[in-house]
Amino acid sequence: MKRSLLVFLLLCAVPLLAAAAVKKKPAGKEKKVAARDYANTLATLQTDMGDITIKFFYDKAPRHVTNFVDLAASGFYDGTMFHRVIPGFMIQGGDPNTRKTEDPMHPYGTGGNMVDGQEKRLKAEFNDTSHKRGIVSMARAQSPDSASSQFFIVVKDSTFLDNQYSAFGEVVSGMEVADKIASVPREANDRPNQPVRIKKILLTQAKSVNG
């Protein structure tokens, strides 16, 4: 009799324990990450010489905008320098090699976004945006589809670049900073004598900035 009662009590306890296990929730809930609104993202380049804020042309070059913003969000550009500056033309940056002392095997201006040992390159997105003063565009090698991480900011109208480089953004504040960077003393290869670096890129939403 006692043995039968014990078995009965154990059988009754099983569903209760199962119910308790179901009710128990993990200590840390997974947070849902909101999808980034690339079309309304602003990027503020915090440089050694001041801030430059860029808005993007997501409707014209979505792959290039997504690439730049995602790299910026990951900290990819932090500590990189403007390795090529030409007054009356443009300033160029975005090479990860410039974070460290130059390696003759991988000189400044040759670096890009490496993923699993391969450089991630973008298909060209040439569009009707003319390379006027303030336009942000992607640097590339000979192939039209070779843009990776390097970009440039035009400080003077350079329409001869139209339909050859993928324009993907525009400076909305801080062009005076770009002008100062373009005017720094430089070497024969257009590299600044003293490094001018991007300390960090701050990403915000245009809606919140405009209030």
Side-chain angles (χ1 to χ4, degrees):
M1 178 69 180
K2 289 182 179 179
R3 188 172 182 181
S4 299
L5 180 61
L6 180 59
V7 171
F8 175 75
L9 290 173
L10 286 172
L11 289 173
C12 290
V14 169
L16 292 174
L17 289 170
V22 171
K23 288 181 181 179
K24 188 176 181 181
K25 293 182 180 180
K29 294 181 180 179
E30 290 185 7
K31 294 182 180 179
K32 291 184 178 180
V33 179
R36 187 180 296 281
D37 182 2
Y38 292 97
N40 290 301
T41 295
L42 295 176
T44 299
L45 282 57
Q46 300 176 331
T47 81
D48 292 333
M49 302 188 78
D51 292 353
I52 302 171
T53 300
I54 299 167
K55 73 173 183 179
F56 298 102
F57 304 142
Y58 186 73
D59 58 329
K60 297 181 183 295
R63 289 190 298 271
H64 285 71
V65 172
T66 300
N67 179 70
F68 183 91
V69 172
D70 286 350
L71 288 177
S74 73
F76 180 93
Y77 292 115
D78 297 357
T80 59
M81 68 170 68
F82 288 98
H83 62 275
R84 186 169 177 238
V85 300
I86 303 177
F89 181 28
M90 61 90 207
I91 60 175
Q92 182 174 332
D95 181 351
N97 292 343
T98 62
R99 286 211 273 310
K100 54 191 178 183
T101 303
E102 188 168 21
D103 177 358
M105 297 296 293
H106 302 93
Y108 294 165
T110 63
N113 177 27
M114 303 297 291
V115 178
D116 297 328
Q118 295 290 324
E119 184 176 19
K120 181 179 178 181
R121 295 187 169 187
L122 305 171
K123 287 189 175 296
E125 292 179 304
F126 302 153
N127 53 69
D128 60 359
T129 300
S130 185
H131 285 73
K132 301 284 189 178
R133 172 175 163 81
I135 291 298
V136 184
S137 192
M138 286 298 283
R140 63 172 177 81
Q142 187 173 4
S143 168
D145 301 328
S146 58
S148 182
S149 64
Q150 294 186 45
F151 65 96
F152 61 92
I153 299 173
V154 179
V155 297
K156 185 178 180 180
D157 292 358
S158 302
T159 57
F160 60 90
L161 300 175
D162 295 353
N163 299 310
Q164 298 186 60
Y165 294 85
S166 299
F168 67 98
E170 180 181 22
V171 173
V172 292
S173 70
M175 271 308 294
E176 71 282 357
V177 176
D179 289 333
K180 285 194 295 184
I181 296 173
S183 300
V184 298
R186 59 199 172 106
E187 302 171 359
N189 58 1
D190 299 319
R191 185 180 305 164
N193 292 339
Q194 297 296 323
V196 180
R197 296 187 182 276
I198 296 172
K199 295 183 286 187
K200 186 176 182 180
I201 296 183
L202 177 65
L203 299 175
T204 54
Q205 291 302 118
K207 293 175 183 178
S208 61
V209 170
N210 293 334

